């Protein structure tokens, strides 16, 4: 088992995001970028895959102990810390910045086709135009009825 595998399994088990890993590593004054962390979690066949060194994993494990247990002066309960991992949004998260594609559209009423009676009393379907009153002009002149 490689250091990358250990790092991946810890990230999944503790439900950590890359920005949380950076914050944890800063507890032991070890600075690393988000991109470098992402390279550790890539597939080994990927061209940007990087082997996780012993120093990175050692610093992460030491920082993880401080993150979960706290210090002697300020001890923490590890399970409470783990529960907060999934509940906290990223630092740069803002509700206003959400894209419309991630939001679910409001449920719409099903389209119903109304039927009307013509002069003879027969039922006749109305034409349904899903675009409403939008008409497209593709640059061609309109044809006149008498041509």
């Amino acid at each position: 088992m490689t250091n990358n595998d250990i790092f991946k399994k810890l990230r999944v088990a503790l439900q950590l995001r890359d920005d949380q890993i950076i914050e944890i590593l800063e507890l032991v004054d070890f600075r690393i970028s988000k991109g470098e962390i992402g390279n550790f979690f890539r597939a080994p066949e990927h061209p940007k895959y990087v082997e996780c060194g012993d120093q990175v994993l050692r610093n992460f494990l030491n920082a993880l102990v401080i993150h979960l247990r706290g210090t002697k002066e300020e001890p923490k309960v590890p399970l409470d810390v783990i529960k907060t991992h999934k509940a906290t949004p990223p630092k740069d998260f803002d509700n206003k910045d959400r894209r419309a594609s991630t939001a679910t559209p409001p449920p719409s009423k099903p389209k119903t086709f109304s039927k009307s009676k013509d002069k003879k009393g027969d039922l006749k379907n109305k034409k349904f135009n899903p675009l409403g009153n939008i008409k497209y002009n593709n640059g061609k002149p309109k044809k006149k009825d008498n041509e």
Side-chain angles (χ1 to χ4, degrees):
M1 187 178 245
T2 65
N3 288 347
N4 294 57
D5 294 334
I6 295 168
F7 206 178
K8 283 180 196 177
K9 290 184 184 298
L10 284 170
R11 184 181 115 183
V12 171
L14 298 173
Q15 300 174 346
L16 296 172
R17 295 185 310 271
D18 290 347
D19 57 336
Q20 290 173 325
I21 292 172
I22 292 170
E23 290 174 9
I24 291 171
L25 284 168
E26 287 177 356
L27 293 174
V28 291
D29 295 327
F30 189 83
R31 287 169 183 71
I32 192 167
S33 70
K34 202 172 187 179
E36 289 175 300
I37 290 174
N39 290 340
F40 295 142
F41 302 126
R42 295 184 187 276
E45 302 85 36
H46 195 278
K48 293 189 178 184
Y49 171 79
V50 175
E51 282 286 330
C52 180
D54 293 337
Q55 182 182 6
V56 175
L57 187 61
R58 177 174 40 89
N59 281 308
F60 176 71
L61 292 173
N62 288 334
L64 191 62
V65 169
I66 295 170
H67 175 71
L68 293 176
R69 292 187 195 165
T71 59
K72 286 185 179 181
E73 297 82 27
E74 298 174 23
K76 298 179 185 176
V77 179
L79 290 177
D80 293 342
V81 175
I82 292 172
K83 288 178 185 176
T84 63
H85 287 172
K86 192 171 184 180
T88 57
K91 283 193 297 189
D92 55 352
F93 181 78
D94 188 12
N95 281 337
K96 294 177 184 176
D97 292 339
R98 284 190 175 180
R99 294 184 179 186
S101 63
T102 59
T104 56
S108 60
K109 295 181 181 178
K111 304 272 187 215
T112 57
F113 295 99
S114 61
K115 296 182 179 182
S116 64
K117 293 185 177 181
D118 63 355
K119 293 179 184 176
K120 297 179 182 176
D122 296 327
L123 293 176
K124 182 179 178 182
N125 288 333
K126 286 187 176 181
K127 290 184 180 178
F128 175 71
N129 184 2
L131 299 177
N133 294 332
I134 298 173
K135 295 182 181 178
Y136 291 99
N137 180 4
N138 57 3
K140 296 180 183 177
K142 293 182 179 180
K143 294 182 181 179
K144 293 186 180 179
D145 291 336
N146 49 351
E147 285 183 14

